[in-house]
Amino acid sequence: MKSRPVVAIPQSSTRPRASRSSLSRGPRQRHQGRLWLIRLWRLLVFSGGAVGLAWVLLEKGWWLETPGQVVVHGVSHQDHGALLAASGLQLPTPLLAVDPSSLQRDLQRLVSPTLQVQVQRTLAPPQLVVSLQHGVAHAWVRRSSADRVERGLLDHRFNWTGFDAQHQGTQHLLDRFPMVKSNVLVLVDFWTPGLPKTLARLFSDLERLETRVNTVRITADGQWVLGTSEVPGEVRLGQPEDLSRKLATMDHLYAQLERKTPPFSYAYVDLRNPEQPKLGLSRVQGAISPIGEDFRWPY
């Protein structure tokens, strides 16, 4: 019997073969690394160029060098120089170094009758544009404190606007004072944050009344007193609660006293309770007298 030839089967090698992907990964990574370096270099070059261009423009181009580059709307040619000198703006100066908000606050304090100030920068051409608008104030104000007395205005929002005594000459040059709508002097012993809102309500009601009020006194304890040059004289409102009703009662009393002179002299009218108004008699008469029943009240 013939023996079959033994065929040797080749065994697979245990050594791992490198795949095509792993062979091509090295050159690809090196290529991506070169691209990243190129992009980084371009970014550095462009950033440096932008910084250099900004420096050139800042140092050589965007500068305020002459007073003519500060354009002021709302003042005369003579007042332009006075305002520029009083503002403290030093020329030459980089345009981008000027803070419009800060300069606006300085001008608002400096030119207190000017109720609206707007400051803008323009790059082409390099200029500083200042717009001043003289508004209409509501009344004059004298504000008292423990150690001093301040004078100012109620602006268009009934906020306090004071006058800086160091710049009275500048205020005179900058055309002076705005129009004041009413001939009312407000005397305040203590200013509170909520006072403008209450004053706005008061002046809104006074515009509709016949009684001519010339002073509004607000004491430190929050009492409101109105002064008139005619009857009913001094009107004590107390706290500013139910203000519209108290003012309507005052106006009705004014109309009644205009038609019928009372047979006695009085010092003030007490309207702290508008349903029971009282006349404060003079020292000769002595007491506080309720108003007679012949005065018909609207409430």
Side-chain angles (χ1 to χ4, degrees):
M1 184 174 181
K2 294 181 180 180
S3 61
R4 295 180 181 181
V6 179
V7 179
I9 300 174
Q11 297 180 357
S12 60
S13 176
T14 57
R15 187 178 300 174
R17 295 181 180 180
S19 63
R20 294 182 180 180
S21 59
S22 62
L23 291 176
S24 61
R25 188 178 303 167
R28 184 183 303 174
Q29 290 180 347
R30 289 193 294 271
H31 179 67
Q32 291 179 350
R34 285 195 298 268
L35 290 178
W36 185 84
L37 290 176
I38 293 173
R39 292 172 182 171
L40 179 60
W41 174 253
R42 289 176 180 175
L43 179 62
L44 293 176
V45 171
F46 291 152
S47 300
V51 172
L53 179 61
W55 181 84
V56 170
L57 292 175
L58 181 61
E59 291 294 324
K60 304 299 181 182
W62 290 334
W63 272 73
L64 297 176
E65 298 180 349
T66 64
Q69 292 178 271
V70 183
V71 181
V72 182
H73 300 295
V75 297
S76 63
H77 179 71
Q78 293 80 8
D79 293 341
H80 177 275
L83 177 63
L84 188 60
S87 66
L89 184 64
Q90 300 293 329
L91 299 178
T93 185
L95 177 62
L96 298 182
V98 179
D99 183 8
S101 300
S102 178
L103 182 59
Q104 182 172 313
R105 289 192 297 268
D106 292 341
L107 291 176
Q108 185 75 54
R109 176 188 56 82
L110 174 65
V111 193
S112 50
T114 301
L115 302 180
Q116 296 179 5
V117 181
Q118 186 176 9
V119 180
Q120 293 179 331
R121 292 180 301 202
T122 62
L123 302 180
Q127 288 181 340
L128 196 66
V129 181
V130 181
S131 300
L132 304 179
Q133 182 178 354
H134 293 273
V136 178
H138 287 281
W140 299 99
V141 185
R142 191 178 71 194
R143 187 167 64 174
S144 304
S145 59
D147 56 347
R148 60 178 176 173
V149 175
E150 300 174 291
R151 291 173 174 82
L153 295 168
L154 289 180
D155 67 9
H156 59 296
R157 295 178 180 175
F158 291 91
N159 293 314
W160 161 265
T161 302
F163 297 123
D164 192 340
Q166 297 179 356
H167 303 290
Q168 291 295 328
T170 306
Q171 292 171 358
H172 177 71
L173 285 174
L174 295 175
D175 215 8
R176 315 21 123 181
F177 300 96
M179 293 178 56
V180 178
K181 293 179 61 174
S182 60
N183 295 321
V184 177
L185 173 63
V186 180
L187 309 172
V188 183
D189 291 338
F190 184 71
W191 189 272
T192 60
L195 201 54
K197 185 176 180 179
T198 308
L199 286 169
R201 291 191 354 246
L202 172 68
F203 277 82
S204 177
D205 289 334
L206 290 181
E207 291 178 356
R208 298 191 294 264
L209 302 181
E210 296 183 5
T211 309
R212 292 183 292 274
V213 175
N214 50 32
T215 60
V216 177
R217 174 75 183 275
I218 306 172
T219 62
D221 58 351
Q223 301 293 312
W224 289 55
V225 181
L226 307 182
T228 66
S229 56
E230 305 172 3
V231 293
E234 183 180 276
V235 181
R236 301 182 179 180
L237 301 179
Q239 297 289 333
E241 301 165 349
D242 205 6
L243 190 58
S244 296
R245 187 175 183 183
K246 292 177 180 179
L247 294 175
T249 304
M250 176 192 71
D251 205 45
H252 185 78
L253 174 62
Y254 168 77
Q256 295 287 331
L257 294 178
E258 281 287 297
R259 292 195 297 265
K260 181 178 180 181
T261 304
F264 46 80
S265 60
Y266 58 91
Y268 61 89
V269 176
D270 188 345
L271 292 180
R272 287 176 293 181
N273 183 359
E275 296 182 357
Q276 297 179 351
K278 299 178 181 179
L279 292 176
L281 304 181
S282 64
R283 293 182 178 180
V284 177
Q285 301 292 334
I288 298 177
S289 172
I291 297 186
E293 296 180 356
D294 54 337
F295 289 101
R296 297 184 301 276
W297 300 99
Y299 304 107

